[in-house]
């Protein structure tokens, strides 16, 4: 994929044409003239302001432009949520390719991982959203689509095991291929990210993901000020606008700084393993080399970097 917006393919999807028109109009007219011309449309989309319409794709922004965008978003968060936040932009590290493994023999289905994800990633409190779903499975089967993600009884239950499912951070990510405007892409450390200010909410990526790992932000997130996680990243856990797709990023605001994902730290049984697949001495490499790991829907050729295994 090209890093240049000018090289994006011409697509007839009406939302893409709308964005292209707005971007072109903003570049052609002065900001005041453009804002006046677009006033009726802006009144129809009160969640989006002129600066956001004119904002470039993340990969086109200079460091100076990023600083302006981040400051604007911090100020908007203060105004809308009465919370002081810092939006950072941690970059992928050299010679790092992140991978995750989960010991299904150790997982007890407590959903502490999903709860930690919910809090860490500033999800809407009313919906209780999370990037992690935990499926209760019958012993002897590994098809998570036949599992129950809505169990409400004490766990672990007899004859059951538990399979958490989240973004698989695929090498051949179908969500990336499906996006008509390159709002989602894979970074060099293997994390698939989204520019939430560029996403048009067409949901093509959601339809393309065979793991049902994408979430659509139907409502503007409601989070009490005291519950907003102030340590945010532009491509990760900042409060996402309404009407966009969002997803797990392996907590890149933590992991690119040398910390562990929030879901792993919350796991009470040590079922989760995270690390650098390129490091031969890492725990994740030991698991892959010494355990009988498998990936979900291997036949699709997506090549997930999220592995599962059972103790022998």
């Amino acid at each position: 994929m090209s890093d240049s917006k000018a090289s994006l393919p011409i697509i007839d999807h009406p939302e893409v044409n709308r964005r292209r028109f707005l971007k072109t109009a903003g570049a052609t007219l002065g900001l005041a003239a453009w804002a006046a011309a677009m006033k009726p449309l802006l009144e129809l989309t009160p969640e989006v302001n002129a600066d956001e319409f004119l904002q470039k794709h993340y990969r086109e922004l200079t460091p100076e432009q990023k600083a302006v965008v981040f400051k604007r978003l911090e100020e908007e968060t203060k105004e809308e949520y009465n919370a002081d936040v810092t939006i950072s932009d941690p970059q992928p590290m050299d010679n790092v390719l992140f991978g995750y493994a989960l010991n299904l023999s150790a997982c007890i289905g407590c959903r502490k991982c999903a709860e930690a994800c919910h809090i860490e990633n500033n999800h809407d409190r009313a919906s209780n959203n999370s990037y992690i779903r935990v499926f209760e499975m019958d012993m002897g089967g590994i098809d998570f689509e036949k599992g129950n993600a809505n169990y409400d009884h004490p766990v672990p239950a007899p004859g059951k095991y538990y399979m958490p499912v989240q973004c698989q951070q695929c090498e051949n990510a179908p969500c990336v291929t499906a996006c008509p405007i390159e709002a989602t892409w894979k970074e060099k450390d293997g994390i698939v990210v989204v520019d939430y200010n560029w996403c048009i909410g067409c949901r093509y990526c959601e339809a393309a993901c065979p793991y049902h790992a994408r979430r659509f932000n139907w409502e503007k997130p409601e989070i009490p000020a005291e519950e907003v996680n102030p340590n945010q990243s532009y491509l990760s856990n900042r409060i996402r606008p309404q009407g966009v797709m969002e997803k797990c990023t392996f907590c890149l605001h933590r992991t690119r700084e040398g910390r562990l994902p929030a879901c792993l730290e919350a796991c009470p049984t040590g079922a989760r393993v995270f690390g650098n697949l390129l490091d031969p001495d890492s725990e994740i490499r030991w698991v892959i080399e010494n355990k009988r790991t498998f990936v979900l829907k291997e036949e699709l050729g997506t090549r997930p970097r999220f592995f599962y295994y059972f103790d022998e």
Side-chain angles (χ1 to χ4, degrees), residues 164-213:
V165 178
Q166 58 202 78
C167 178
Q168 307 290 292
Q169 312 295 354
C170 304
E171 170 65 26
N172 299 324
C175 57
V176 170
T177 304
C179 181
I181 60 166
E182 297 186 350
T184 186
W185 67 94
K186 179 169 61 67
E187 301 250 277
K188 70 177 185 179
D189 57 3
I191 298 177
V192 177
V193 297
V194 181
D195 184 342
Y196 299 115
N197 282 60
W198 195 256
C199 174
I200 59 173
C202 67
R203 302 176 66 191
Y204 289 176
C205 62
E206 181 183 28
C209 176
Y211 308 103
H212 310 293

Side-chain angles (χ1 to χ4, degrees), residues 125-137:
R125 295 303 187 250
S127 65
N128 199 34
N129 196 11
S130 172
Y131 296 139
I132 303 172
R133 293 178 299 160
V134 182
F135 290 84
E136 185 175 71
M137 310 284 288

Side-chain angles (χ1 to χ4, degrees), residues 15 18 22 35 37-49 53 242:
E15 285 296 318
R18 178 178 68 86
L22 291 168
M38 293 297 104
K39 188 174 186 295
L41 180 56
L42 291 174
E43 290 176 347
L44 293 175
T45 54
E47 297 301 324
V48 181
N49 58 34
F53 268 128
Q242 180 182 1

Side-chain angles (χ1 to χ4, degrees), residues 85-88 120 122 228-233 237 253 259:
V85 305
T86 300
I87 296 178
S88 63
E120 181 71 26
N122 289 307
V228 171
N229 181 354
N231 301 313
Q232 302 180 8
S233 165
N237 69 327
H253 56 285
R259 302 171 63 196

Side-chain angles (χ1 to χ4, degrees), residues 17-282:
N17 291 334
R18 178 178 68 86
R19 181 179 285 279
R20 185 185 299 114
F21 166 73
L22 291 168
K23 295 284 182 177
T24 303
T28 303
L29 301 173
L31 180 58
W34 177 87
M38 293 297 104
K39 188 174 186 295
L41 180 56
L42 291 174
E43 290 176 347
L44 293 175
T45 54
E47 297 301 324
V48 181
N49 58 34
D51 288 337
E52 184 175 346
F53 268 128
L54 290 173
Q55 182 180 314
K56 295 179 180 179
H57 190 289
Y58 166 85
R59 292 184 294 175
E60 294 179 320
L61 295 171
T62 65
E64 294 75 20
Q65 290 170 331
K66 285 182 180 180
V68 172
V69 171
F70 298 170
K71 184 175 187 296
R72 186 189 81 233
L73 293 173
E74 291 169 353
E75 291 173 348
E76 289 176 359
T77 304
K78 178 64 174 179
E79 179 180 352
E80 296 177 17
Y81 294 91
N82 194 30
D84 293 310
V85 305
T86 300
I87 296 178
S88 63
D89 187 35
Q91 296 297 299
M93 294 176 281
D94 292 334
N95 301 313
V96 171
L97 184 65
F98 286 125
Y100 217 136
L102 204 148
N103 185 348
L104 297 174
S105 297
C107 180
I108 58 174
C110 65
R111 295 195 181 108
K112 293 293 186 183
C113 55
E115 178 182 355
C117 174
H118 175 76
I119 296 171
E120 181 71 26
N121 288 291
N122 289 307
H123 285 292
D124 174 63
R125 295 303 187 250
S127 65
N128 199 34
N129 196 11
S130 172
Y131 296 139
I132 303 172
R133 293 178 299 160
V134 182
F135 290 84
E136 185 175 71
M137 310 284 288
D138 291 327
M139 290 291 188
I142 59 172
D143 184 357
F144 75 88
E145 291 185 344
K146 295 180 180 179
N148 175 20
N150 300 309
Y151 57 90
D152 59 359
H153 52 73
V155 292
K160 306 289 185 180
Y161 74 94
Y162 298 86
M163 175 177 278
V165 178
Q166 58 202 78
C167 178
Q168 307 290 292
Q169 312 295 354
C170 304
E171 170 65 26
N172 299 324
C175 57
V176 170
T177 304
C179 181
I181 60 166
E182 297 186 350
T184 186
W185 67 94
K186 179 169 61 67
E187 301 250 277
K188 70 177 185 179
D189 57 3
I191 298 177
V192 177
V193 297
V194 181
D195 184 342
Y196 299 115
N197 282 60
W198 195 256
C199 174
I200 59 173
C202 67
R203 302 176 66 191
Y204 289 176
C205 62
E206 181 183 28
C209 176
Y211 308 103
H212 310 293
R214 296 257 175 165
R215 304 287 183 271
F216 185 72
N217 225 358
W218 290 99
E219 304 287 344
K220 176 184 175 181
E222 296 294 337
I223 312 171
E226 66 275 11
E227 296 182 17
V228 171
N229 181 354
N231 301 313
Q232 302 180 8
S233 165
Y234 182 84
L235 292 176
S236 185
N237 69 327
R238 66 183 173 102
I239 301 177
R240 280 73 61 196
Q242 180 182 1
V244 302
M245 296 304 306
E246 54 179 280
K247 64 180 294 296
C248 161
T249 63
F250 279 176
C251 284
L252 66 80
H253 56 285
R254 297 166 60 102
T255 53
R256 287 180 176 176
E257 301 291 343
R259 302 171 63 196
L260 293 169
C263 53
L264 185 151
E265 289 191 348
C267 179
T269 65
R272 291 172 170 267
V273 177
F274 180 84
N276 181 9
L277 293 169
L278 302 182
D279 180 1
D281 297 322
S282 65

